[in-house]
Amino acid sequence: MSGDQERSHFSFPSHDELSSLVSWKPAGGATDSAGDPRGFGPRAVPPPVSLTDVLRGSMMDYGALARAFDLPCSAPSDVLAPGGMASSRELMADVGNAGNSMTPSSGCGGSATPMTPNSSTSWSSTEAAGEEDAERCKKDEPKQEEEVEKQRVKVEEEGGDTSEKVRNKSKKKGEKRQRDPRFAFVTESEVDHLDDGYRWRKYGQKAVKNSPYPRSYYRCTTQKCPVKKRVERSYQNPRIVITTYEGKHAHECPATVRGSTHLLPPPSAMSTSFCQNLVMQQMNQLNNDNSLQANINPNVYLANLPPSLQQLQLPDYGLLQDIIPSFIHGGQP
DNA sequence: CGGATTTGACCCGCGC
DNA sequence: GCGCGGGTCAAATCCG
């Protein structure tokens, strides 16, 4: 995590199968880089914002983010601009927004922790990982909530028991586990594991159905931090790295603590609004241009987008429409 | 030597 | 009820 870290730019979500769903157009020839994706060519589009920015923004308070989606357009005044990232500003400019003085936090990953070079990032909420995921996510929601709850129980109850016990304890019969919302970042990157300023420990890897690329499972190494993330590559475009975060950091960004000159606002104050605004901006714009098509056929709608917007592809269509249906459906009921 | 990664096994939920 | 697949565990291994 250092040299080959990612600096990603923020494009709109799109991932895996989703790509097929929305006619993802790879920036370049897809390279088979499952294990060692080093042959990526130069990015056609300069990264407006670091992945870290994005991550910070969404990860910090997804409860709020989730609420934001439910309640579009709440004034994002809780996010201050720490100042620091040109890229952040670029992003904001890109997003065009918004009258609100919100700037995605920067810092940790910003300059202190250079993010992945030659990469672009998009994000989605709740889930993202291909059509499988799109389908899966629906049933996964409760499942992952359970997992998180497991983690919490585990940590709270003793901070170290056998998995067996934990599982039995954390789940009472018929009791549905609460699940934190998840946010997926679709990043065009050379490396699988993007450095977002936090420290992660890999705890598992699984082969992904219909994909030659495995999915890796990471957990925040900070004690009592329940945040987990999954990382996988799109089988359709090996450049695409889908990072799905789950949980909320219960601590500050290590990179920040470690003496980065760019201090991040506390997690709770993070750019929920930033993400929210981004989504809103993107969605509104897309809707304005292609509301009808977008409603009916994402492919058409994307095809009609200007190149600059084609990067802002609708990610997990199925997911997002659940989260922010009003955007996708042109604000119609 | 301590921490991170790998990897096979296991658990669990869901769909059929 | 069964099988499948996702997610997690934990022992073994690797690495700095």
Side-chain angles (χ1 to χ4, degrees):
Chain A
M1 289 180 220
S2 55
D4 39 22
Q5 289 169 350
E6 308 266 318
R7 196 183 55 178
S8 333
H9 91 242
F10 206 57
S11 64
F12 223 69
S14 132
H15 58 74
D16 253 23
E17 337 281 334
L18 216 285
S19 52
S20 66
L21 200 65
V22 298
S23 299
W24 166 270
K25 294 180 177 65
T31 306
D32 185 350
S33 47
D36 184 23
R38 310 291 164 190
F40 298 150
R43 217 26 2 79
V45 179
V49 69
S50 80
L51 170 63
T52 299
D53 290 342
V54 176
L55 296 180
R56 298 261 180 298
S58 78
M59 285 308 296
M60 296 315 136
D61 182 2
Y62 349 52
L65 179 53
R67 286 195 301 275
F69 283 121
D70 288 335
L71 305 169
C73 271
S74 60
S77 54
D78 57 327
V79 179
L80 300 178
M85 293 276 300
S87 58
S88 299
R89 299 198 187 93
E90 287 171 31
L91 171 62
M92 296 319 298
D94 237 9
V95 171
N97 185 43
N100 294 308
S101 60
M102 55 159 217
T103 298
S105 58
S106 48
C108 238
S111 49
T113 309
M115 292 294 101
T116 313
N118 302 329
S119 63
S120 60
T121 301
S122 349
W123 71 276
S124 164
S125 60
T126 305
E127 174 59 80
E131 67 191 15
E132 302 165 20
D133 269 2
E135 299 169 7
R136 190 198 319 148
C137 67
K138 284 168 185 153
K139 68 177 181 183
D140 260 9
E141 281 313 308
K143 196 171 181 178
Q144 296 222 346
E145 285 167 11
E146 291 177 18
E147 296 303 330
V148 171
E149 186 58 28
K150 278 193 214 168
Q151 293 297 321
R152 289 206 185 101
V153 172
K154 182 193 245 171
V155 171
E156 288 172 9
E157 293 200 353
E158 55 226 326
D161 206 331
T162 65
S163 59
E164 213 69 21
K165 276 188 185 174
V166 173
R167 286 180 184 176
N168 292 334
K169 278 187 186 176
S170 63
K171 199 182 66 167
K172 292 173 185 173
K173 251 185 181 177
E175 180 176 302
K176 285 217 168 184
R177 287 174 286 186
Q178 293 297 310
R179 176 162 299 280
D180 283 345
R182 292 181 291 170
F183 292 93
F185 292 83
V186 180
T187 306
E188 195 163 351
S189 165
E190 303 176 9
V191 302
D192 292 333
H193 191 193
L194 312 181
D195 184 356
D196 51 18
Y198 291 90
R199 297 186 62 215
W200 302 92
R201 169 176 295 181
K202 188 175 184 177
Y203 66 89
Q205 178 172 309
K206 287 279 287 189
V208 178
K209 187 185 174 190
N210 295 329
S211 173
Y213 309 106
R215 172 182 300 142
S216 297
Y217 298 89
Y218 296 87
R219 180 173 294 149
C220 184
T221 59
T222 301
Q223 275 197 337
K224 297 191 176 182
C225 181
V227 179
K228 288 177 286 189
K229 75 174 179 181
R230 302 185 313 192
V231 177
E232 64 185 278
R233 280 189 182 278
S234 166
Y235 72 88
Q236 289 188 335
N237 184 348
R239 294 180 174 202
I240 304 302
V241 176
I242 302 164
T243 305
T244 305
Y245 289 84
E246 179 182 338
K248 183 175 174 180
H249 286 289
H251 57 94
E252 294 200 22
C253 173
T256 300
V257 174
R258 275 183 306 206
S260 164
T261 54
H262 299 283
L263 297 180
L264 289 172
S268 59
M270 289 316 270
S271 5
T272 288
S273 329
F274 157 70
C275 293
Q276 173 188 338
N277 266 27
L278 181 62
V279 173
M280 287 167 42
Q281 289 292 326
Q282 304 296 350
M283 286 307 200
N284 284 332
Q285 181 158 8
L286 295 180
N287 273 330
N288 288 338
D289 294 345
N290 306 274
S291 59
L292 287 180
Q293 286 102 324
N295 286 342
I296 299 169
N297 186 346
N299 289 302
V300 172
Y301 126 86
L302 281 170
N304 289 335
L305 292 177
S308 61
L309 283 182
Q310 287 188 1
Q311 291 184 15
L312 308 177
Q313 292 171 17
L314 190 60
D316 193 325
Y317 188 69
L319 288 171
L320 265 191
Q321 69 180 359
D322 286 344
I323 299 169
I324 40 179
S326 60
F327 291 127
I328 293 178
H329 296 132
Q332 294 173 9

